[in-house]
Amino acid sequence: MLFSSFPTAIALVDGVSFFAACEQAINPALRGRPVVTGKERNIVAAASVEAKARGITRGVALWDAKKLCPDLVVLPSDYETYSLIAKRLYDIIRSYTPAVEEYSIDEAFADLTGLRRLHRCSYEDMCRQLQREIEAKLGVAVRVGLAPTKTLAKVAGEIHQPDRFGVINGRHIEDALHRFPVADVWGIGPATAALLAKHRITTAGQFIAASRDYLATFLTKPQLETWQELRGEPAIPFMTEPKEAYHSISKVKTFTPASNDRDYVFSQLLKNVENACTKARRYEQAATKCVVFLRQHDFRSLGVEATLLRPTAYPNELVPIVRRLFEQLFTPTMRYRSTGVILGDLVAASPTQRSLFEPANIIDKTRRLYAAVDMLRGKYGKHVVHHGASLAAQHTQHLSARGDVPRRKRLLLKGETKRRRLPLPLLQTSVN
Ligand SMILES: [Mg+2]
């Protein structure tokens, strides 16, 4: 085990009840009150600390949540505001270290190794200062875990103190992991936990006490990396680069109410195809596989896929295929609540190879057409140009009550449009 406290120092920063906390941050009237988001789907997407204290958890139906807590404040999800606040959170972390991995919308790893002299303080003080700064500037609470590796930092974040700060010092790893359930370790899924239990390993302490040779007889390489990380030796690389290459791109959109209108459901699907293609072109990728799926009112999903004759990222080339796949799935007696598309097996886009019978000028026209579309979308918003058949989906994001649309999309600043808004969260405070 380690003989020094922090040969490497990794901090995990994680927003506490992040989406609900963002709502409370921009609207002080909601502070201290039980708040949930997810009104547009009738399911709790995030619950504030106060709502959690009343027994409300993510994924619960709003109907049941209100029974538990009649004074619950229910809001539509406002991902635009959440990601703006998340971006500010990352910016603050980056003012401490350039090595930041954005793990999820509200969770980041920060490599602080070697920065004690620069910041003139211990790693622990650095983390506490970071936490104070985030909470003071953004008004959202964050948990911070500090440890020599990413996996240990996740554990540290779990075993935090009431001040939302947890630390695992390299010299005290065994003490920290002694009673921590191995099933709760980041990277250990239920199947691995069951496998370890068969070998009488149920705590992280027992896991790290086992020898590598013994574990290697029944564990895979990634699982052994988790073991190594838990012992204080970094094994999982830090991903500081923003993701630029994708193996697949998927776009899914839920609409309410569920619909059995063939043209409407198809228009929703086509909008996803257009958005997925735009993203593929932005990263200069082209798809060789296309999967289409429809989710029914009863939450069952049906999907079907097709292999493409040549790689493409152009909706007009995909429409006939998507239409065929859609017709295979669509049943008029069924109501649908969401559609999705996955562009798979992406390859680097090259001047498109054509099949023997396709005239080169048509391919070239398509390329120039979409270059113009991308230019217009970049300038005037992504919905300014779209395929005719997706028209119905373009202007009816939600057909339900007005209250299901986030406030930020309804209250526009001067000069803003429904499609283009300044990257600013709107605070809901009044100045008297
Ligand atoms: Mg979180």
Side-chain angles (χ1 to χ4, degrees), residues 56-356:
I56 295 168
T57 50
R58 199 191 151 129
V60 169
L62 282 181
W63 173 254
D64 294 326
K66 273 189 196 144
K67 268 193 280 183
L68 275 172
C69 179
D71 55 334
L72 190 66
V73 180
V74 179
L75 299 169
S77 303
D78 177 6
Y79 295 109
E80 181 178 339
T81 295
Y82 310 151
S83 50
L84 289 169
I85 295 177
K87 186 179 175 302
R88 292 180 178 192
L89 184 125
Y90 293 137
D91 287 346
I92 294 174
I93 304 173
R94 287 206 172 85
S95 71
Y96 285 72
T97 170
V100 175
E101 174 179 337
E102 298 183 9
Y103 181 66
S104 76
I105 186 165
D106 70 329
E107 218 177 319
F109 291 105
D111 187 349
L112 305 173
T113 311
L115 296 176
R116 277 180 292 201
R117 195 169 291 174
L118 176 71
H119 293 294
R120 296 167 190 271
C121 64
S122 67
Y123 291 127
E124 200 168 324
D125 288 343
M126 218 180 290
C127 287
R128 286 186 186 279
Q129 195 185 322
L130 173 63
Q131 185 185 39
R132 272 197 303 274
E133 188 175 338
I134 290 170
E135 296 187 349
K137 285 188 174 162
L138 303 181
V140 298
V142 289
R143 284 184 304 149
V144 178
L146 168 67
T149 66
K150 284 164 75 170
T151 308
L152 281 172
K154 287 284 270 189
V155 176
E158 293 289 324
I159 56 175
H160 62 90
Q161 300 297 310
D163 60 2
R164 299 179 297 287
F165 185 77
V167 53
I168 297 177
N169 177 316
R171 294 176 199 269
H172 303 131
I173 292 175
E174 284 100 334
D175 298 340
L177 299 187
H178 177 54
R179 286 199 310 213
F180 192 79
V182 75
D184 292 350
V185 170
W186 181 57
I188 302 287
T192 310
L195 181 61
L196 287 169
K198 273 194 203 155
H199 291 83
R200 296 177 183 279
I201 294 172
T202 55
T203 70
Q206 290 164 342
F207 188 38
I208 58 167
S211 80
R212 188 190 178 94
D213 287 346
Y214 170 63
L215 294 170
T217 60
F218 61 95
L219 291 185
T220 61
K221 189 166 169 269
Q223 294 160 342
L224 291 170
E225 283 173 359
T226 299
W227 171 83
Q228 190 182 333
E229 286 245 326
L230 283 175
R231 291 168 59 94
E233 303 154 34
I236 301 173
F238 227 76
M239 315 282 265
T240 53
E241 294 298 315
K243 240 188 178 172
E244 294 243 329
Y246 294 83
H247 293 298
S248 69
I249 292 173
S250 64
K251 291 284 172 187
V252 190
K253 195 104 194 173
T254 303
F255 41 89
T256 41
S259 171
N260 62 355
D261 179 328
R262 184 185 295 262
D263 291 341
Y264 179 73
V265 177
F266 184 69
S267 75
Q268 290 286 347
L269 176 62
L270 204 54
K271 186 172 160 186
N272 289 326
V273 172
E274 291 185 302
N275 290 339
C277 284
T278 304
K279 189 167 178 182
R281 292 198 299 276
R282 192 179 330 134
Y283 293 103
E284 294 174 10
Q285 307 258 291
T288 55
K289 201 171 84 182
C290 174
V291 183
V292 163
F293 57 92
L294 303 180
R295 183 164 298 149
Q296 297 172 177
H297 184 59
D298 58 6
F299 290 92
R300 280 197 304 148
S301 286
L302 295 171
V304 58
E305 67 173 72
T307 302
L308 308 175
L309 283 176
R310 62 148 192 275
T312 184
Y314 300 124
N316 65 342
E317 294 185 334
L318 283 167
V319 168
I321 300 154
V322 168
R323 169 68 79 178
R324 218 178 54 231
L325 299 177
F326 173 80
E327 294 299 342
Q328 284 178 37
L329 294 173
F330 187 83
T331 316
T333 51
M334 189 57 72
R335 283 185 300 140
Y336 296 92
R337 61 196 327 274
S338 69
T339 67
V341 65
I342 302 169
L343 299 183
D345 293 349
L346 296 179
V347 295
S350 55
T352 316
Q353 277 184 318
R354 62 201 157 95
S355 69
L356 213 50

Side-chain angles (χ1 to χ4, degrees), residues 383-395:
H383 301 280
V384 68
V385 189
H386 56 80
H387 201 279
S390 74
L391 181 65
Q394 297 294 340
H395 303 291

Side-chain angles (χ1 to χ4, degrees), residues 13-19 52 104-107 141 143:
V13 180
D14 177 19
V16 178
S17 300
F18 186 68
F19 295 169
K52 282 180 183 163
S104 76
I105 186 165
D106 70 329
E107 218 177 319
R143 284 184 304 149

